[in-house]
């Protein structure tokens, strides 16, 4: 029986991942951890431990006590927050990752999942149908940490046989949890504001097309790549995966089909520059071929699903 440790469990992905893992492995086999105090009730079903990924002694204690066989290491600062404090962004995203990878080796963890992001791409990357292997010159500290992390994933696999798997998440849109400090956060907030106030003031301009994905697809991708037989995982840095690409104007048109009076205004802020450095759409044929990735949600289905659930 596997014992699963989720680190950074209180975030947007962790909250929904923990719920799925409880269902798959049984709640008693899942340990959730975060530096934050949990508020979502999903965390009352499993053991929850306080864990600061920069505290090696605490990491050791958690690994010794719970003996995880599978680890999901999700603790990180997102793009916009990391720009506010680049030194801490580097420290948390990199030192945190080194500490967890090293603990996984020391304690014989079987498999580990580590998320990368479309932020590894930069202004010199081809923007449409961005290939798996391409120019990687990110100009945000978040993107730099994700690119470095990807190189470390591959290095730890080759050097230490650490079975780490990774995907480059696009912007993630769910209804159960909120993102914190990302550039794609508008695509979650817009639904809440549309239902509550019938209007939304968007911090990206109407033409900003970005790769996005329904959270259900993202969680499924995370579980599928982590559970896939090791020989199928041929990319040991991180896989491109695509869901749906749209801009705020296209999302607005789709929301208006359900809330005709919905109005949007645009006041691009510092996050516009980050968004401008990222691709519009992603070529994920290698993930499809290697471990069978396939998305379920297009824009139409995504909007219906999120609105239905929030209502
Ligand atoms: N959604 C993330 C962000 O906006 C990208 O990985 O920072």
């Amino acid at each position: 029986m596997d014992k699963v440790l989720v680190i950074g469990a209180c975030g947007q992905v962790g909250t929904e991942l923990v719920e799925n893992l409880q269902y798959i492995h049984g709640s008693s086999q899942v340990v959730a951890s975060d530096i934050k105090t949990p508020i979502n009730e999903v965390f009352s079903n499993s053991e929850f431990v306080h864990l600061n990924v920069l505290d090696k002694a605490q990491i050791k204690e958690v690994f010794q006590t719970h003996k995880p066989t599978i680890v999901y290491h999700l603790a990180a600062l997102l793009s916009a927050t990391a720009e506010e404090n680049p030194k801490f962004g580097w420290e948390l995203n990199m030192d945190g990752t080194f500490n967890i990878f090293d603990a996984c080796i020391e304690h014989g963890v079987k498999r580990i999942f580590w998320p990368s992001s479309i932020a590894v791409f930069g202004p010199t990357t081809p923007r449409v149908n961005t290939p798996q292997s391409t120019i990687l010159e990110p100009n945000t500290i978040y993107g730099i940490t994700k690119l470095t992390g990807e190189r470390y994933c591959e290095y730890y696999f080759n050097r230490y046989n650490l079975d780490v798997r990774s995907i480059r998440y696009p912007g993630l849109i769910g209804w159960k949890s909120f993102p914190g400090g990302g550039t794609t956060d508008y695509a979650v907030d817009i639904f809440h504001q549309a239902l509550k106030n019938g209007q939304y003031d968007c911090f990206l301009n109407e033409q900003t097309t970005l790769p996005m994905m329904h959270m259900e697809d993202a969680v499924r991708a995370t579980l599928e790549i982590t559970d896939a037989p090791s020989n199928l995982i041929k990319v040991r840095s991180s896989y491109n995966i695509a869901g749906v690409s749209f801009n705020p104007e296209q999302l607005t048109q789709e929301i208006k089909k359900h809330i005709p009076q919905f109005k949007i205004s645009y006041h691009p802020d510092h996050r516009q520059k980050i968004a401008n450095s990222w691709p519009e759409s992603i070529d994920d044929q290698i993930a499809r071929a290697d471990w069978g990735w396939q998305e379920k949600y297009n824009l139409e289905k995504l909007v219906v699903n999120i609105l239905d659930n929030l209502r």
Side-chain angles (χ1 to χ4, degrees):
M1 255 200 171
D2 280 309
K3 190 79 186 262
V4 187
L5 173 65
V6 182
I7 299 165
C10 293
Q12 189 195 14
V13 176
T15 304
E16 301 210 20
L17 185 67
V18 165
E19 193 180 0
N20 279 265
L21 290 167
Q22 288 169 340
Y23 182 74
I24 296 165
H25 296 273
S27 299
S28 60
Q29 297 307 108
V30 179
V31 178
S33 70
D34 206 297
I35 197 165
K36 290 187 207 143
T37 306
I39 41 169
N40 196 299
E41 65 185 38
V42 72
F43 296 111
S44 57
N45 300 326
S46 291
E47 188 158 352
F48 186 92
V49 290
H50 178 269
L51 181 62
N52 173 1
V53 295
L54 298 177
D55 184 339
K56 287 187 192 174
Q58 207 178 39
I59 294 171
K60 195 178 175 99
E61 196 190 311
V62 169
F63 275 69
Q64 271 174 351
T65 308
H66 297 284
K67 301 184 176 47
T69 55
I70 302 175
V71 171
Y72 293 85
H73 171 41
L74 308 175
L77 284 197
L78 284 183
S79 57
T81 318
E83 278 320 291
E84 283 163 25
N85 193 346
K87 285 227 157 62
F88 182 63
W90 173 270
E91 191 186 356
L92 179 69
N93 293 10
M94 294 321 316
D95 291 346
T97 297
F98 299 149
N99 291 345
I100 297 302
F101 281 12
D102 289 342
C104 286
I105 293 172
E106 200 184 320
H107 297 271
V109 167
K110 274 199 318 205
R111 296 195 298 276
I112 169 165
F113 174 84
W114 177 87
S116 186
S117 159
I118 53 162
V120 294
F121 304 117
T124 52
T125 304
R127 298 200 67 211
V128 177
N129 271 329
T130 302
Q132 172 70 44
S133 298
T134 186
I135 301 167
L136 299 172
E137 296 180 330
N139 60 4
T140 62
I141 191 67
Y142 176 67
I144 293 168
T145 65
K146 286 298 175 188
L147 176 55
T148 312
E150 285 191 6
R151 302 318 307 150
Y152 266 92
C153 286
E154 195 185 278
Y155 184 81
Y156 269 68
F157 174 72
N158 289 327
R159 177 86 197 251
Y160 304 112
N161 220 7
L162 181 69
D163 191 354
V164 48
R165 292 119 188 258
S166 177
I167 51 188
R168 293 170 173 156
Y169 284 138
L172 302 180
I173 305 162
W175 54 273
K176 292 183 187 169
S177 56
F178 286 97
T183 301
T184 55
D185 294 12
Y186 91 85
V188 176
D189 203 23
I190 193 171
F191 287 98
H192 292 267
Q193 299 304 324
L195 287 169
K196 213 162 57 183
N197 308 318
Q199 58 181 41
Y200 181 64
D201 190 30
C202 188
F203 59 77
L204 298 181
N205 73 37
E206 61 265 54
Q207 298 305 331
T208 313
T209 303
L210 288 169
M212 300 279 188
M213 183 176 282
H214 192 292
M215 183 58 90
E216 194 183 305
D217 276 338
V219 167
R220 189 168 48 78
T222 303
L223 295 167
E224 283 176 6
I225 193 172
T226 308
D227 292 342
S230 186
N231 63 318
L232 296 187
I233 308 303
K234 296 182 186 112
V235 174
R236 286 295 176 166
S237 50
S238 190
Y239 278 96
N240 275 9
I241 58 164
V244 54
S245 279
F246 57 78
N247 62 40
E249 175 57 22
Q250 290 163 326
L251 180 56
T252 299
Q253 290 312 323
E254 204 56 45
I255 291 174
K256 276 186 163 182
K257 289 185 187 165
H258 309 275
I259 309 173
Q261 70 282 12
F262 176 59
K263 286 202 169 41
I264 187 160
S265 51
Y266 298 98
H267 290 99
D269 67 12
H270 56 282
R271 289 167 280 192
Q272 185 66 51
K273 198 172 145 222
I274 301 176
N276 290 346
S277 76
W278 291 351
E280 287 186 9
S281 55
I282 299 291
D283 179 346
D284 62 356
Q285 54 182 308
I286 296 183
R288 287 171 192 268
D290 284 4
W291 47 278
W293 161 245
Q294 188 164 11
E295 83 288 358
K296 187 172 131 195
Y297 285 91
N298 60 20
L299 179 57
E300 199 182 327
K301 281 195 205 161
L302 182 149
V303 169
V304 169
N305 177 274
I306 302 283
L307 286 175
D308 278 357
N309 280 300
L310 286 179
R311 273 180 175 134

